[in-house]
């Protein structure tokens, strides 16, 4: 009887370890897929905002940014537009109070003349931030940032 209890206990523990291991791997795989999907959506939204805001920033317009924000900003997706010095020209209401921690990433995108992306903690929520430079004749004239809710 004691042998049977030990055998069943060993089988139970082995089953538990294998099941737990596979569950952990599934969760990690699903997280990676979700992060990849989030990055893809942010990249597409960033390119769309860049195409809409680039002419406005390049010619130094002070108006027109509201249309871009209205078109691309949603409750789960914030948008901010910066000039070549990293100053905010326009930002959606959801992200406007939380733009401070993103400034180094905006500067990096403008200096490298390439996209910068990273997870940030903004307003108590995990957010994927995707910053693309705005260009005129292959020279950066500003940046557009897209903030996607990662929770």
């Amino acid at each position: 009887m004691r042998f049977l209890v030990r055998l069943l206990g060993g089988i139970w523990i082995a089953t538990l370890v294998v099941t737990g291991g596979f569950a952990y791997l599934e969760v990690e795989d699903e997280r990676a897929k979700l992060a990849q999907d989030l990055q893809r959506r942010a990249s597409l939204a960033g390119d769309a905002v860049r195409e809409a805001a680039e002419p406005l920033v390049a010619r130094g317009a002070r108006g027109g940014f509201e249309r871009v924000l209205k078109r691309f900003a949603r409750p789960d997706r914030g948008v901010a537009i910066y000039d070549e010095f990293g100053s905010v020209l326009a930002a959606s209401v959801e992200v406007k109070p939380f733009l401070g921690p993103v400034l180094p990433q905006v500067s990096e995108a403008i200096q490298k003349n390439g996209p910068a992306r990273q997870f940030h903690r903004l307003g108590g929520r995990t957010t994927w931030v995707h910053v693309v430079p705005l260009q005129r004749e292959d020279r950066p004239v500003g940046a557009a940032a897209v903030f996607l809710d990662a929770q």
Side-chain angles (χ1 to χ4, degrees):
M1 184 68 175
R2 196 182 322 189
F3 174 73
L4 184 61
V5 171
R6 288 193 316 197
L7 180 65
L8 289 177
I11 291 172
W12 180 76
I13 289 175
T15 304
L16 183 67
V17 168
V18 169
T19 305
F22 278 116
Y24 176 77
L25 292 176
E26 277 295 316
V27 167
E28 288 300 313
D29 186 44
E30 187 66 24
R31 255 190 208 162
K33 286 180 184 177
L34 288 174
Q36 185 178 14
D37 182 53
L38 191 66
Q39 293 170 9
R40 183 186 56 79
R41 287 189 296 133
S43 177
L44 292 173
D47 287 341
V49 171
R50 179 184 51 81
E51 287 178 12
E54 220 166 35
L56 296 173
V57 175
R59 68 172 182 241
R62 284 287 152 205
F65 295 116
E66 294 79 25
R67 282 184 295 144
V68 174
L69 295 178
K70 187 184 290 186
R71 184 173 174 194
F72 294 107
R74 297 188 322 217
D76 65 329
R77 179 176 62 204
V79 176
I81 302 170
Y82 297 87
D83 66 4
E84 63 184 323
F85 303 110
S87 300
V88 178
L89 295 174
S92 57
V93 177
E94 302 87 26
V95 296
K96 202 168 202 163
F98 310 111
L99 294 178
V102 182
L103 194 55
Q105 197 171 355
V106 171
S107 299
E108 175 188 342
I110 292 172
Q111 288 174 355
K112 285 188 349 185
N113 199 12
R117 42 197 171 268
Q118 186 177 357
F119 281 106
H120 277 284
R121 193 100 174 123
L122 299 177
R125 301 184 65 87
T126 303
T127 306
W128 178 256
V129 179
H130 185 85
V131 182
V132 291
L134 305 176
Q135 301 173 343
R136 182 178 192 180
E137 299 170 1
D138 293 330
R139 188 179 74 74
V141 293
V146 175
F147 304 87
L148 289 179
D149 186 8
Q151 290 187 347

